[in-house]
């Protein structure tokens, strides 16, 4: 069992690392299209500093790391960080989240360097709807990036679709067909009230139970929970009988996923964030010995909250944009 145990006896084994808050898209539920206040690049951790902090987490029992952003592929030299992390003896799983716009040219190199699997954001298969959601994003490079990840042998490739009523919910069925055709897993995500942009995004809210009902009607069959269908991640998975593809739902509002949460987050500035939905953080910047940083980590985990409070007290909901949290 991990050496990181929170007050609710959850074993913390998963660290999400935001390597940058920058992104080449402006998905409105993630960040505002204008007036975004970026962090100073000079305040970002270097790759050596990130590797050191991640090493300390692995020595404390974390064995799973996901590189996120913003969009991680806009950070120059990211491949070097992947190579450094791949050598850490305690790290068993290194993955990435991406919008895939820049993935086509990098997928094979990332796989060869140690990224075993990838989650890709894809909210629409219609170029105009995609452009509206991402604010002038281009769909074609994303589709090419998904195919490149599959060709490179990343396994699994997971597609994440944030379902928004009246905007892209008409594509629930076609997105499933697209994923099944390619052998990619698919996760439908409820909008979350995080940051000013995210709170506005709840106007498009569609509950997971309605999404699942649509899928059952489309498939003409009941959705059977996949074996091991609810792990420590946020998604509840179901098997699609026509093949090996799994379909998942992430229900941050209608059915929270906190009871078995196994994760914490590290921002590009070196702040440890204990909960996606709450305003809590502690700095792990350089200036301390390894043992001192470990002590700070252990103390922070001892104060990890039981759950986010999206449905209860909005005064405690994080006002940070998803782009700075690896959303």
């Amino acid at each position: 069992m991990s050496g990181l145990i929170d007050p609710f006896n959850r074993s913390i084994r998963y660290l999400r690392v935001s390597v940058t808050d920058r992104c080449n898209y402006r998905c409105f539920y993630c960040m505002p299209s204008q007036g975004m206040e970026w962090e100073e690049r000079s305040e970002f951790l270097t790759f050596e500093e990130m590797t050191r902090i991640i090493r300390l987490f692995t020595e404390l029992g974390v064995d799973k790391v996901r590189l996120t952003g913003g969009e991680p592929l806009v950070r120059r030299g990211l491949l070097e960080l992947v190579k450094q992390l791949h050598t850490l003896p305690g790290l068993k799983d290194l993955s990435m989240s991406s919008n895939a716009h820049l993935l086509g040219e990098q997928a094979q190199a990332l796989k060869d360097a140690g990224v075993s699997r990838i989650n890709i954001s894809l909210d629409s298969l219609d170029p105009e709807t995609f452009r509206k959601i991402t604010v002038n994003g281009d769909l074609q490079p994303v589709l090419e990036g998904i195919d490149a990840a599959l060709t490179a042998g990343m396994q699994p490739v997971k597609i994440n679709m944030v379902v928004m009523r009246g905007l892209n919910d008409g594509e629930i069925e076609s997105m499933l067909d697209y994923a099944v055709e390619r052998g990619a897993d698919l996760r439908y995500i409820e909008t979350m009230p995080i940051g000013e942009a995210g709170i506005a995004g709840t106007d498009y809210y569609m509950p997971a139970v309605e999404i699942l009902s649509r899928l059952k009607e489309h498939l003409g069959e009941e959705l059977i929970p996949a074996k091991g269908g609810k792990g420590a991640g946020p998604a509840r998975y179901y098997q699609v009988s026509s093949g090996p593809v799994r379909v998942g739902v992430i229900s941050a509002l209608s059915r929270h996923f906190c009871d078995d949460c196994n994760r914490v987050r590290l921002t590009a500035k070196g702040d440890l964030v204990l909960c996606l939905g709450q305003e809590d953080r502690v700095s792990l910047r350089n200036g301390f010995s390894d043992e001192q940083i470990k002590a700070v980590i252990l103390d922070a985990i001892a104060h990890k909250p039981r759950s986010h409070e999206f449905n209860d007290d909005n005064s405690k909901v994080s006002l940070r944009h998803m782009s700075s949290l690896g959303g």
Side-chain angles (χ1 to χ4, degrees):
M1 178 172 282
S2 169
L4 293 176
I5 307 296
D6 77 1
F8 308 100
N9 204 35
R10 296 173 297 195
S11 179
I12 309 303
R13 306 183 64 124
Y14 179 16
L15 178 66
R16 293 178 62 103
V17 180
S18 176
V19 299
T20 180
D21 64 344
R22 268 66 169 178
C23 188
N24 42 2
Y25 287 167
R26 295 290 182 274
C27 302
F28 69 84
Y29 57 78
C30 184
M31 68 175 77
S33 59
Q34 297 180 350
M36 183 69 182
E37 295 184 4
W38 305 107
E39 304 285 2
E40 293 293 334
R41 285 190 175 91
S42 60
E43 296 184 5
F44 287 173
L45 294 173
T46 66
F47 289 156
E48 289 72 23
E49 289 171 328
M50 282 186 179
T51 300
R52 179 197 181 203
I53 292 175
I54 294 169
R55 172 178 58 80
L56 297 177
F57 270 98
T58 63
E59 291 174 1
L60 289 169
V62 166
D63 56 13
K64 177 179 178 181
V65 169
R66 177 174 295 275
L67 301 179
T68 69
E71 168 51 44
L73 295 180
V74 304
R75 175 128 185 205
R76 293 180 182 177
L78 183 67
L79 194 62
E80 292 306 311
L81 175 63
V82 173
K83 292 177 180 177
Q84 291 179 34
L85 297 180
H86 189 54
T87 65
L88 295 178
L91 186 58
K92 298 179 181 178
D93 182 77
L94 180 59
S95 60
M96 180 179 292
S97 293
S98 173
N99 61 30
H101 185 92
L102 299 173
L103 185 60
E105 297 179 355
Q106 302 184 53
Q108 190 63 61
L110 289 166
K111 175 64 167 61
D112 293 344
V115 175
S116 59
R117 55 198 184 88
I118 193 164
N119 290 3
I120 295 172
S121 176
L122 178 63
D123 295 330
S124 176
L125 293 168
D126 176 76
E128 290 303 317
T129 304
F130 184 86
R131 186 173 294 112
K132 180 177 181 180
I133 294 171
T134 59
V135 186
N136 296 321
D138 187 357
L139 176 62
Q140 189 58 35
V142 174
L143 300 180
E144 293 171 0
I146 292 171
D147 289 341
L150 291 165
T151 299
M154 292 185 181
Q155 183 63 36
V157 172
K158 294 181 181 179
I159 295 171
N160 290 338
M161 178 187 183
V162 176
V163 180
M164 291 163 276
R165 188 186 302 278
L167 184 56
N168 68 349
D169 61 303
E171 299 184 64
I172 288 174
E173 295 85 357
S174 59
M175 190 67 76
L176 178 60
D177 294 340
Y178 171 84
V180 169
E181 179 182 342
R182 281 159 178 76
D185 285 351
L186 173 62
R187 303 193 302 180
Y188 298 97
I189 304 174
E190 293 179 348
T191 54
M192 303 182 198
I194 297 177
E196 296 173 8
I199 291 172
T202 57
D203 293 341
Y204 299 94
Y205 175 69
M206 176 178 282
V209 64
E210 188 173 344
I211 296 170
L212 289 171
S213 176
R214 290 266 298 271
L215 294 176
K216 292 175 186 177
E217 183 177 354
H218 178 63
L219 292 169
E221 62 186 55
E222 289 294 318
L223 288 172
I224 307 301
K227 186 176 181 180
K230 179 66 182 80
R236 290 174 171 84
Y237 284 102
Y238 302 85
Q239 200 72 42
V240 177
S241 63
S242 55
V245 170
R246 298 187 310 165
V247 58
V249 291
I250 298 178
S251 49
L253 286 178
S254 63
R255 186 181 179 188
H256 74 68
F257 41 76
C258 304
D259 289 344
D260 49 10
C261 177
N262 68 339
R263 69 196 59 199
V264 290
R265 297 166 184 259
L266 180 69
T267 72
K269 290 178 62 177
D271 290 337
L272 176 61
V273 178
L274 300 172
C275 176
L276 177 64
Q278 295 206 29
E279 284 286 352
D280 52 12
R281 65 172 65 199
V282 59
S283 176
L284 301 179
R285 299 286 310 190
N286 261 344
F288 302 99
S289 69
D290 285 0
E291 292 307 312
Q292 287 173 319
I293 293 177
K294 284 183 178 180
V296 173
I297 293 171
L298 288 166
D299 181 69
I301 297 300
H303 294 87
K304 181 173 169 63
R306 178 185 290 274
S307 68
H308 59 247
E309 301 185 30
F310 294 156
N311 290 325
D312 301 317
D313 183 357
N314 283 337
S315 68
K316 294 183 180 181
V317 172
S318 173
L319 296 178
R320 295 164 300 210
H321 297 295
M322 288 287 281
S323 61
S324 67
L325 293 170

